[in-house]
Each structure stands twice: as C-alpha cells, then as structure tokens.
Amino acid sequence: EVQLVQSGAEVKKPGESLRISCKGSGYSFTSYWISWVRQMPGKGLEWMGRIDPSDSYTNYSPSFQGHVTISADKSISTAYLQWSSLKASDTAMYYCARHTDSSGYSFDYWGQGTLVTVSS
Amino acid sequence: EIVLTQSPATLSLSPGERATLSCRASQSVSSYLAWYQQKPGQAPRLLIYDASNRATGIPARFSGSGSGTDFTLTISSLEPEDFAVYYCQQRSNLYTFGQGTKLEIK
C-alpha cells in the first residue's frame, strides 16, 4: 500500500527554524517526485516546490523561492520542507504529494498534512 | 507564472443534478491539466489528469474535457459525497492551482 506519512503538528515562535518530513512507503521512493503544497487557513492550494529524490534536483515556485528549502534523504525514503526563520504568515497546513509520468505527473498520493502554527 | 481562474466560485446544486465546473488558463497549457477534490479536514484527491483521464478508482460520473486554455470538469449526476471543493492544476510550466470552486448542496 502506497503511503506518505508526514510528521506531526508543530507550534513555533516567529524567527524559529523548523523542518517537517514526509516518509514514503509501499513504492520505489526514487521513482517519483515529491512536491510540497501549502494551504493557509480557509484558503486554496499553493504549489511550493518539488524534489526528485533520486538526485535531489529541486524546482521552486517563484513565490516560495528563497523562503523554504526542500530536501530528501533517499536512504530513508523521506522528503523534508524547512524554514530558517518562521513568520506568522507561515501558519498553514502543509501537504506532500508524489508524482510521476504514470499519472501524467499529477499528484496521485498525498500525505495527511502537517499543521504548522507560528505565534508569539 | 500561469494563472488558473476557476468559475463559478460557488455552485449550489441538488443531488442527482449535473455539475459543470470551469477552469481557464492565462496561457495555453496544452492538455496538462488535472482536477482534484478536497473535503473538509482531508487531503486533496486526484480525479482527472491530462485533462480527460480519470485517475484510478474515480467513478465514471466524473469526466474532464478541454485543451489549450479552457477546461471543464463535469459530474453527470451528483451524489451526496460529491459536495466538496474542486481545484484545477496545470503542469505545463511547473505547477499552479486554481483558486477552487465550492460545490454545495442547494
């Protein structure tokens, strides 16, 4: 069974750093890209960026370039999304999702989401 | 960046009715468009990819059409579980999502 399991909810203060994770199982982790998607409270979906776990090649949305870092450790089938200095506006649900050519590079499996709350 | 505009923002229909949701791209995305369904408290679910291909396990009442800049998601006869928010997504130039259409019970 394909699964993407994300790390648990986080409560942080502005200026703190954070890394959240997404662990894939039930498939070949290096055969699928992983994307991260933000959903702010009551709002729509925003694509943040993606990584190819086989070589850690990344692309970012212009809206998120320089604000977050996406990485992966293929030895443990895990992708990461990290911030060096959080802002209150980073409060959101964050989803990871996998994609490859078998579903037209669309996001066929999603993680359950990680809620990040940034508040002083 | 390619902008996707979905209409209407909210669609009020009754079970059994036909739903037609639209997505317009700011420039051609060929057939590289997907549709997702999201219910409250859940992750999105892939319905349609490459404009007209149903994802695995998606009922036949869901269909997609279009190419270039204009796309449509049609639900032929609404079931109670279909009331949700629907998003389109392009993959012609990286990825972007539309702002969503909320399908609500009338």
Side-chain angles (χ1 to χ4, degrees):
Chain A
E1 178 194 8
V2 174
Q3 285 191 307
L4 293 173
V5 178
Q6 297 185 228
S7 49
E10 301 274 2
V11 179
K12 292 289 190 178
K13 290 181 167 49
E16 291 186 331
S17 63
L18 175 65
R19 187 177 77 167
I20 62 175
S21 66
C22 169
K23 183 174 177 62
S25 63
Y27 73 99
S28 174
F29 188 69
T30 54
S31 296
Y32 290 76
W33 292 77
I34 294 286
S35 273
W36 287 93
V37 176
R38 183 175 79 174
Q39 188 165 39
M40 299 177 76
K43 302 299 184 183
L45 305 173
E46 300 173 272
W47 181 73
M48 302 175 71
R50 66 180 178 182
I51 188 164
D52 179 347
S54 67
D55 61 7
S56 290
Y57 177 79
T58 55
N59 295 115
Y60 292 89
S61 162
S63 300
F64 292 92
Q65 178 87 48
H67 297 289
V68 296
T69 301
I70 296 171
S71 60
D73 184 341
K74 62 184 179 182
S75 69
I76 55 171
S77 301
T78 301
Y80 302 98
L81 177 65
Q82 67 182 65
W83 296 258
S84 59
S85 180
L86 287 160
K87 303 175 184 179
S89 57
D90 293 317
T91 294
M93 180 71 82
Y94 293 88
Y95 294 101
C96 64
R98 74 166 202 177
H99 46 106
T100 193
D101 57 349
S102 63
S103 59
Y105 291 98
S106 299
F107 300 177
D108 63 349
Y109 280 89
W110 294 65
Q112 82 279 17
T114 296
L115 181 62
V116 174
T117 303
V118 184
S119 174
S120 55
Chain B
E1 179 178 299
I2 296 175
V3 176
L4 299 179
T5 303
Q6 293 186 239
S7 60
T10 303
L11 185 57
S12 300
L13 293 170
S14 300
E17 290 192 293
R18 182 184 186 90
T20 303
L21 287 67
S22 295
C23 178
R24 175 164 289 178
S26 58
Q27 63 190 78
S28 176
V29 298
S30 186
S31 294
Y32 300 142
L33 191 104
W35 291 93
Y36 297 84
Q37 176 194 68
Q38 188 179 33
K39 297 179 181 179
Q42 296 185 16
R45 177 174 71 145
L46 176 65
L47 300 175
I48 302 288
Y49 66 92
D50 286 350
S52 61
N53 296 289
R54 268 191 306 277
T56 302
I58 300 303
R61 65 180 181 273
F62 290 92
S63 63
S65 63
S67 66
T69 60
D70 291 294
F71 299 86
T72 301
L73 174 70
T74 301
I75 310 171
S76 59
S77 179
L78 286 165
E79 297 288 341
E81 62 267 27
D82 297 336
F83 292 91
V85 180
Y86 291 83
Y87 295 94
C88 57
Q89 177 206 45
Q90 67 80 24
R91 67 168 183 92
S92 176
N93 181 9
L94 297 180
Y95 292 91
T96 50
F97 288 94
Q99 83 280 14
T101 289
K102 182 180 181 180
L103 178 55
E104 64 177 24
I105 299 176
K106 187 174 182 179

